[in-house]
Amino acid sequence: MEYDLHVHTTASDGLLTTDQVIARASQSGLKGLAITDHDTVAGIPSPASERIVLKSGVVIIHGIEINTDFHNEEVHILGYYINAGNKALLDRLAEVKQLRQQRASQIVNSLNDMGFAIDMQRVQQLAGDSIIGRPHIARAMIEKGIVGTVEEAFNLYIGRGCPAYVPRYHLLPDEAIILINNAGGVPVLAHPGLIHQSGIIEQILNMGIAGIEVFYPEHTPKQVRDLLNLARERALLITGGSDFHGMGKTRNKLGGAGLNYNLFSTFVEKAWRYRQNR
Ligand code: AMP
Ligand code: ZN
Ligand code: FE
Ligand code: FE
């Protein structure tokens, strides 16, 4: 796909910097991408605008992915064309950064209580100045030989329902939607196919979400069909992206999911109209 609208960088838990991601996108012939880091706008290349067009013609849309908790599920809200200088957004993200720090320490403590010697300083080092997340803890566990992959760390220890799982700080999807709207952005429900409980998607639609991420590596063909129908019925924007983290997993290849030119044009047009009519 030529337009990948879901990409992470080292500003959150990705392994490549924004420049490296952009270079790779250009090399692999992508026409556009959206930088959508978890709970931060630090990876956005030019905070003064909501998108940029590189000399090569590649479009970079400035976005975010806000991780929220809703009825004991991970619910992630993407925001496109956000104003990265919006004060209310930046203030709340600064708080979230602190709260993430506390949560990471709690998880590390609980792993230590289980007998694994995980060093919080090492986890911090892996995150650097960026937003700290469970993937950084998973990488520290890999270094210690406790698990072989990030996935295994989530499945056995730090994922929901696992022994070292610590619930997220209080951040609900409706707050994320409001933050994105107030920053001039377009709120989109990320990877709806990963939500387990039926009824949650409906509730989130009722919170005023503008679009849904239909194309996603882990969505089955049936999920894609159902989500396309839902988007049509409810006049929602359709987006798609790979959720690239730079980990080289085939399912999360840069450009491995996304929009073609026609769908992207429709997305741009509808996003523009949404922002005009807000
Ligand atoms: P956190 O925001 O600290 O709760 O960490 C959640 C993030 O970890 C997600 O946004 C994904 O990027 C990543 N993640 C969640 N589950 C898995 C998994 N099973 N394998 C690899 N990465 C995961
Ligand atoms: Zn991530
Ligand atoms: Fe996500
Ligand atoms: Fe993501």
Side-chain angles (χ1 to χ4, degrees), residues 6-276:
H6 189 155
V7 174
H8 294 275
T9 76
T10 47
S12 63
D13 55 5
L15 291 172
L16 303 183
T17 64
T18 301
D19 286 348
Q20 288 169 332
V21 167
I22 290 175
R24 188 179 290 207
S26 304
Q27 278 160 22
S28 47
L30 288 192
K31 298 271 180 358
L33 75 165
I35 304 288
T36 55
D37 274 307
H38 303 290
D39 304 341
T40 181
V41 293
I44 282 173
S46 168
S49 78
E50 72 239 356
R51 54 154 240 188
I52 52 170
V53 182
L54 304 179
K55 263 193 269 160
S56 60
V58 176
V59 185
I60 314 285
I61 295 174
H62 294 169
I64 193 165
E65 180 178 29
I66 302 185
N67 287 19
T68 81
D69 229 34
F70 190 54
H71 295 296
N72 289 314
E73 292 233 35
E74 289 279 334
V75 171
H76 296 176
I77 308 292
L78 292 157
Y80 292 104
Y81 299 105
I82 48 163
N83 167 8
N86 180 268
K87 189 168 182 314
L89 178 65
L90 290 175
D91 286 351
R92 183 60 170 138
L93 295 178
E95 271 170 29
V96 164
K97 191 171 181 182
Q98 292 293 319
L99 294 166
R100 277 183 165 275
Q101 209 71 36
Q102 290 170 23
R103 184 182 184 219
S105 297
Q106 287 165 354
I107 295 171
V108 166
N109 285 343
S110 122
L111 287 168
N112 284 320
D113 289 345
M114 290 168 69
F116 301 120
I118 299 291
D119 184 8
M120 185 57 200
Q121 265 179 347
R122 180 59 191 147
V123 175
Q124 191 62 66
Q125 228 171 37
L126 289 169
D129 274 343
S130 309
I131 283 292
I132 202 166
R134 283 178 288 164
H136 299 113
I137 299 173
R139 286 171 207 161
M141 295 177 80
I142 293 171
E143 284 184 352
K144 287 273 162 125
I146 298 164
V147 290
T149 62
V150 172
E151 206 115 276
E152 201 183 326
F154 271 86
N155 291 341
L156 297 179
Y157 301 110
I158 58 177
R160 210 170 279 269
C162 297
Y165 178 75
V166 173
R168 198 184 300 284
Y169 39 83
H170 186 77
L171 208 176
L172 290 166
D174 53 354
E175 187 193 347
I177 292 170
I178 290 167
L179 286 169
I180 290 164
N181 274 326
N182 289 346
V186 180
V188 169
L189 176 60
H191 39 70
L194 304 188
I195 294 175
H196 302 97
Q197 297 164 71
S198 62
I200 285 198
I201 293 177
E202 183 62 32
Q203 288 183 65
I204 291 167
L205 296 187
N206 291 336
M207 291 172 187
I209 204 90
I212 51 177
E213 187 175 50
V214 171
F215 301 98
Y216 188 76
E218 290 172 82
H219 284 172
T220 65
K222 178 172 188 320
Q223 282 176 324
V224 169
R225 278 198 305 276
D226 291 348
L227 290 168
L228 282 173
N229 285 333
L230 182 65
R232 213 165 291 134
E233 277 163 24
R234 307 288 288 263
L236 297 164
L237 277 88
I238 293 167
T239 74
S242 67
D243 211 355
F244 179 69
H245 281 75
M247 282 152 192
K249 282 186 296 182
T250 44
R251 70 178 177 92
N252 281 9
K253 237 179 68 192
L254 189 63
L259 301 180
N260 62 21
Y261 178 75
N262 279 339
L263 284 169
F264 180 71
S265 303
T266 306
F267 164 77
V268 170
E269 190 190 311
K270 288 195 173 172
W272 176 254
R273 220 176 303 145
Y274 175 83
R275 296 170 69 220
Q276 293 303 303

